[in-house]
Amino acid sequence: MTSPITPGSPEPIVTAGDPIPAPADRIPTPKATPPDVVRCAYMELVVTDLAASREFYVDVLDLVVTEEDEDAVYLRSFEEFIHHNLVLRKGPVAAVAAFAYRVRTPEDLDRAVEFYTELGCRVERRASGFTKGVGDSVRVEDPLGFPYEFFYEVQHVERLAWRYDLYTPGALVRIDHFNQVTPDVPKAVKYMEDLGFRVTEDIQDEAGTTYAAWMRRKPTVHDTAMTGGDGPRMHHVAFATHEKHNIIAICDKLGALRRSDCIERGPGRHGVSNAFYLYLRDPDGHRVEIYTQDYYTGDPDNPVVTWDVHDNQRRDWWGNPVVPSWYTEASTVLDLDGNPQPLTSRTDDSEMEVTIGADGFSYTRKDDEPRGFKLGAQV
């Protein structure tokens, strides 16, 4: 399959099928039935200073404490009814221990074991209570090197959607998605499609190089995204607010607390996903996105949107430059023994290298005269 990006193509391109070129090194498709993933459900972060991390996520971002002890804090968003959306676990190295997905039935745990065993991955069945609030689960080191967890049984807690007396101006109401850094995006996409995920948007160039892809199970733009870079690493975890004014309120709160240096990028509006966003860095440098106002993707014939990597508006619909750290820095991920996973370098072109500082390389309108662009001042 060739890239749909051409000199005369529209901006962006909308297609009926998956426009991402086939990978040169495809992960074989298992014969086993994949687990039926419902949604991204929680992330387990290892943090080096539990008190500082708790202050950031609870006192600053107003996530709700479900349970805590001297080694871990279990947090949830206001509309959540399962035990947690985020686990902060004290450890020696800041990293990600699990990208956790809820599955539709208990039998899907057996399917996960069969699916990943056929792929030759390390697979471990974890007994109920291994993570507080979660029943039996399956953890795997997936073919890309990421620690995935699948679970069905979970402790229910009070959903605070109606507790308006507790709401703050910047209330986080849902976990929305993960973003993963991996060197070969087409390879990652085809594997995730075998797992049942579907592409909603992607970024390419005329040569067919794929720089990123957004993939979903729930009917939003994504449950996870695959971003091209040295990996495996975690780029960010995202929580949703109801409206963009909630994000502005978070910015105002950070300013009032003299913590505006936590803001890495934004606020702004993405072209990809159409979402209003803010990127923050927690005390360990883990990146958190605050996200709102993307769109419904649940129809069976939902089209795919492909952006030209040289279109200035793909990452920012208006206004804000993408700082280099957003492209270069990401969190370490762990294997199932808690050791940092080694990185594989990306060999395809880097999105930062072909956009930041490349005068005339990117555009807002294709017929513009070459004159550089807003990112050029960042390096």
Side-chain angles (χ1 to χ4, degrees), residues 12-220:
I13 297 166
V14 178
T15 55
D18 180 354
I20 296 177
D25 180 25
R26 178 166 183 162
I27 296 167
T29 300
K31 295 179 181 177
T33 301
D36 187 356
V37 174
V38 175
R39 59 165 174 142
C40 68
Y42 81 86
M43 175 170 282
E44 182 179 326
L45 289 179
V46 179
V47 299
T48 58
D49 185 332
L50 188 60
S53 293
R54 186 193 190 282
E55 180 192 23
F56 178 80
Y57 287 101
V58 177
D59 299 337
V60 178
L61 293 185
D62 296 311
L63 286 173
V64 178
V65 177
T66 301
E67 192 171 351
E68 60 185 321
D69 57 35
E70 62 182 11
D71 295 316
V73 182
Y74 300 82
L75 304 172
R76 71 184 191 276
S77 51
F78 270 81
E79 293 186 353
E80 188 58 79
F81 72 95
I82 71 171
H83 187 267
H84 57 263
N85 298 132
L86 184 68
V87 180
L88 307 175
R89 194 176 302 281
K90 185 177 179 180
V93 178
V96 180
F99 300 75
Y101 293 96
R102 194 160 192 206
V103 294
R104 197 166 302 278
T105 69
E107 292 73 27
D108 284 302
L109 298 183
D110 296 328
R111 296 186 183 101
V113 170
E114 294 169 1
F115 183 85
Y116 283 100
T117 297
E118 187 175 341
L119 283 172
C121 297
R122 181 177 174 183
V123 180
E124 292 187 359
R125 199 74 177 249
R126 300 288 174 88
S128 177
F130 174 82
T131 299
K132 286 186 178 181
V134 175
D136 291 345
S137 63
V138 173
R139 287 203 178 186
V140 305
E141 292 173 16
D142 86 348
L144 307 177
F146 291 98
Y148 270 18
E149 178 180 282
F150 302 93
F151 71 96
Y152 171 75
E153 183 183 351
V154 66
Q155 179 183 335
H156 289 190
V157 293
E158 181 187 4
R159 175 177 270 159
L160 299 174
W162 301 276
R163 289 295 309 273
Y164 294 107
D165 55 316
L166 301 178
Y167 271 57
T168 59
L172 305 184
V173 294
R174 291 180 299 278
I175 188 170
D176 191 84
H177 62 266
F178 310 135
N179 187 303
Q180 303 170 235
V181 183
T182 190
D184 188 334
V185 174
K187 179 179 181 178
V189 165
K190 298 308 178 187
Y191 146 64
M192 292 297 286
E193 287 179 330
D194 288 342
L195 189 55
F197 285 69
R198 291 296 173 261
V199 175
T200 58
E201 302 201 26
D202 66 282
I203 297 174
Q204 296 188 37
D205 61 20
E206 291 182 28
T209 302
T210 306
Y211 295 86
W214 285 255
M215 307 192 74
R216 63 96 179 171
R217 286 295 297 173
K218 68 182 185 304
T220 62

Side-chain angles (χ1 to χ4, degrees), residues 197-266:
F197 285 69
R198 291 296 173 261
V199 175
T200 58
E201 302 201 26
D202 66 282
I203 297 174
Q204 296 188 37
D205 61 20
E206 291 182 28
T209 302
T210 306
Y211 295 86
W214 285 255
M215 307 192 74
R216 63 96 179 171
R217 286 295 297 173
K218 68 182 185 304
T220 62
V221 171
H222 56 319
D223 286 274
T224 196
M226 296 294 175
T227 295
D230 298 349
R233 292 181 295 164
M234 187 276 286
H235 191 273
H236 64 263
V237 58
F239 288 88
T241 65
H242 279 308
E243 299 286 348
K244 56 182 178 289
H245 68 77
N246 302 122
I247 290 178
I248 300 299
I250 292 171
C251 294
D252 283 341
K253 182 176 182 179
L254 288 167
L257 294 172
R258 295 283 176 173
R259 298 191 65 161
S260 61
D261 56 342
C262 294
I263 299 173
E264 179 186 35
R265 180 182 166 204

